[in-house]
Amino acid sequence: APEAAGAHRRSTLPGAGVSKVAGSRYDACVTHGPFGAPAQPGHAHCDLFAFEMDVSGQRVVVDPGVHAYHDPDARLETRRTRAHATPTLEGPPHSEQAEIWSRFRCGWRPRSIEARWHADSLVCEARAFGPHHVRTLRRTFRFAPHQLCISDEVEGASDISAAIPLAPGLTAAPSPGGAVVHDAAGRHVLEVWASGGVGLRIERAQV
């Protein structure tokens, strides 16, 4: 059943590892495990702790989806960590949350996945980026009335990044301290800020 979380209402599907937070300004969905179906992990993507967001009923932050089964390169690209709104390590060979290759191959996968609610915050934690250099990944979501605040930590890593994939038709442009997102009609739909010495860059999707 939905529970109150400050100015939002939240609901969780524990078996699927998905939580939704709904408010007057925005709705957000967070993926927090398990990493694919245990008997068939080849269908899983490296999207642990990724999120999607609607602002005032408009799709803004989205998941890239499957893209294709017949195109192995495109499918692998959309399975990668960097294709999702979740932290990744900069540079190979240990930048993926899980050991994936080809279209449906998956070896080592994240373990000890937890998601805990604390008032208006969701704290997610897992052992990821294996199998040879496993690290603790921790992502905290704080659901403020008009803001979604996210902080990321990766054990022993100083160079991490996180994508924010935008819905089709949206564009981003630099602004003081961050970026501003507009829809096709030029309306302002979202602002993104980076703090604590975190940089921000705008890239065109490759898939």
Side-chain angles (χ1 to χ4, degrees):
E3 301 178 46
H8 296 82
R9 291 178 63 80
R10 72 184 189 223
S11 55
T12 298
L13 300 174
V18 177
S19 288
K20 179 181 179 180
V21 173
S24 59
R25 171 65 173 152
Y26 67 85
D27 296 349
C29 288
V30 178
T31 301
H32 46 74
F35 191 83
Q40 179 49 281
H43 283 281
H45 292 202
C46 292
D47 61 354
L48 187 62
F49 307 158
F51 74 100
E52 297 184 70
M53 175 187 275
D54 295 1
V55 178
S56 298
Q58 179 176 358
R59 300 286 284 144
V60 178
V61 181
V62 298
D63 186 272
V66 173
H67 182 77
Y69 283 125
H70 62 277
D71 185 332
D73 293 334
R75 174 161 169 75
L76 179 59
E77 190 62 30
T78 54
R79 294 180 71 203
R80 292 189 185 283
T81 310
R82 66 185 180 219
H84 305 276
T86 190
T88 185
L89 302 180
E90 285 294 305
H94 309 297
S95 58
E96 302 297 348
Q97 291 180 345
E99 189 180 22
I100 61 169
W101 69 99
S102 188
R103 290 182 293 176
F104 293 99
R105 297 293 182 260
C106 180
W108 190 95
R109 67 204 76 160
R111 290 162 165 72
S112 304
I113 302 169
E114 295 183 2
R116 304 179 300 276
W117 284 99
H118 299 280
D120 63 350
S121 296
L122 177 62
V123 181
C124 303
E125 188 172 294
R127 297 288 284 168
F129 303 107
H132 303 298
H133 297 274
V134 181
R135 306 166 185 263
T136 297
L137 165 63
R138 183 179 297 106
R139 167 166 267 199
T140 301
F141 298 87
R142 185 171 69 83
F143 302 96
H146 298 286
Q147 295 179 339
L148 171 56
C149 305
I150 302 173
S151 62
D152 295 322
E153 302 172 66
V154 179
E155 176 190 17
S158 58
D159 194 6
I160 66 175
S161 65
I164 305 178
L166 299 177
L170 301 184
T171 57
S175 67
V180 61
V181 178
H182 295 92
D183 63 15
R187 291 183 293 261
H188 175 191
V189 296
L190 183 71
E191 291 184 12
V192 181
W193 294 287
S195 61
V198 175
L200 186 70
R201 66 178 184 263
I202 299 171
E203 299 180 347
R204 184 176 178 83
Q206 299 299 309
V207 175

